[in-house]
Amino acid sequence: MLKTQTRHAIDPATAKTLDTDQLRDHFHVGGLFVDGEINLVYSHYDRLILGSAVPAGKALTLDKVDATGTATILERREMGILNIGEAGNVTVSGQTYELGKGEVLYIGMGAGPVTFDGAGRFYVLSAPAHQTYPTTLITLKDARRVEMGARETANERVIIQFLHPEVCKSCQLLMGYTQFAEGSVWNTMPAHLHDRRMEAYLYFQLPEDQRVFHLMGEPDQTRHIVMANEEAVISPPWSIHAGAGTASYTFCWAMAGDNVDFTDMDMVAMGDLR
């Protein structure tokens, strides 16, 4: 029912030497959403955990995870849960929350075991925490929307922010997702870095026969990873994170690190990319 794996952090000099399979072994996360399973990846970049829970008709409980070395996963952590499926339930601290499609539940440190049930397909993110904030259900009407880009540059999109200082307090976990208008495919371009925070992406709402080319690496040493629907990727603090799809898609972004300032980023000029 619970499957976990660990991804160790590597430096940019090592990343330059990796071939396609090695890049995928370190950064690509596939096979997440499996009926009746909880799948977690423990990353050594800022100790972020990303994963999934798909109840598929039976309750699944997330409690002890050996990689954290604590009695329960939330003993010293906070969590954000995004439902990318039909309506489903998450129960924590004796209270049940119904998450509709596209809604997010924030769970504060110390809340105890988390149980998933119903028809939801839950994307799970967790980062170390130093303070407890209230468990909060964030609906689409509660989220902050930022419209960006243009049709002419193929990046017309809306950024929907859930775990953000203006929406829901958290210790260090920032989380939301970006949706593209029909015909737009480019994300986060011009590219940027934020060495103070790592990031993870989940690509979803992408047709099964289409792909996203996720760009990573130092600005002058770019690489790419080909992503299918409902696959995730770990983005190190030293790496750009950008990409383009063969069709429109949505991606969930999550960050953990030194601050929760969404705009804290170092822009990379187009002419500096290699």
Side-chain angles (χ1 to χ4, degrees):
M1 183 178 71
L2 172 63
K3 297 180 179 179
T4 62
Q5 57 176 287
T6 297
R7 300 290 182 91
H8 293 280
I10 62 170
D11 64 277
T14 301
K16 296 177 186 179
T17 69
L18 303 181
D19 64 19
T20 297
D21 288 339
Q22 291 169 325
L23 278 175
R24 294 178 73 86
D25 287 344
H26 280 285
F27 302 110
H28 174 264
V29 181
L32 276 177
F33 294 89
V34 180
D35 286 356
E37 291 184 4
I38 297 174
N39 285 281
L40 301 178
V41 174
Y42 183 98
S43 170
H44 280 248
Y45 292 112
D46 288 295
R47 305 288 170 172
L48 184 79
I49 293 175
L50 65 149
S52 62
V54 186
K58 64 178 182 181
L60 299 174
T61 297
L62 177 55
D63 189 5
K64 183 177 174 60
V65 176
D66 289 342
T68 68
T70 54
T72 185
I73 186 173
L74 291 177
E75 184 174 320
R76 296 178 58 84
R77 286 178 163 269
E78 60 187 350
M79 182 177 289
I81 300 169
L82 165 66
N83 182 16
I84 66 170
E86 300 304 316
N89 300 318
V90 178
T91 301
V92 59
S93 299
Q95 183 168 349
T96 298
Y97 301 85
E98 183 180 45
L99 274 69
K101 188 173 185 178
E103 296 183 340
V104 168
L105 181 68
Y106 172 78
I107 304 175
M109 180 182 69
V114 181
T115 298
F116 306 87
D117 65 76
R121 295 168 68 79
F122 300 102
Y123 181 50
V124 178
L125 294 148
S126 176
H130 57 271
Q131 181 174 337
T132 297
Y133 288 107
T135 296
T136 305
L137 174 64
I138 310 151
T139 67
L140 282 168
K141 66 179 179 60
D142 299 323
R144 183 173 184 262
R145 297 173 63 90
V146 180
E147 295 185 4
M148 297 188 68
R151 187 176 298 274
E152 292 76 16
T153 48
N155 67 351
E156 184 181 3
R157 64 201 188 276
V158 56
I159 301 173
I160 307 175
Q161 299 168 336
F162 290 85
L163 303 190
H164 181 282
E166 295 185 28
V167 181
C168 177
K169 284 188 176 182
S170 63
C171 287
Q172 65 160 323
L173 188 60
L174 288 176
M175 180 182 175
Y177 53 85
T178 300
Q179 293 179 322
F180 288 88
E182 186 175 353
S184 287
V185 295
W186 274 103
N187 77 70
T188 322
M189 185 62 73
H192 64 265
L193 302 166
H194 33 70
D195 194 55
R196 295 155 293 280
R197 296 178 307 211
M198 65 82 66
E199 193 157 6
Y201 282 148
L202 170 73
Y203 291 98
F204 63 107
Q205 294 181 340
L206 175 71
E208 292 296 331
D209 61 344
Q210 304 296 310
R211 295 294 184 267
V212 172
F213 287 73
H214 174 84
L215 303 180
M216 64 163 295
E218 294 176 289
D220 62 349
Q221 287 285 337
T222 60
R223 304 289 189 269
H224 73 268
I225 298 176
V226 179
M227 308 292 298
N229 186 46
E230 296 186 357
E231 293 184 341
V233 65
I234 298 167
S235 182
W238 46 261
S239 174
I240 67 166
H241 31 261
T246 58
S248 299
Y249 55 97
T250 301
F251 68 91
C252 176
W253 43 265
M255 292 176 272
D258 267 337
N259 64 44
V260 290
D261 180 2
F262 182 84
T263 61
D264 178 18
M265 57 187 71
D266 304 314
M267 302 305 297
V268 178
M270 292 293 285
D272 291 337
L273 293 174
R274 296 289 183 271

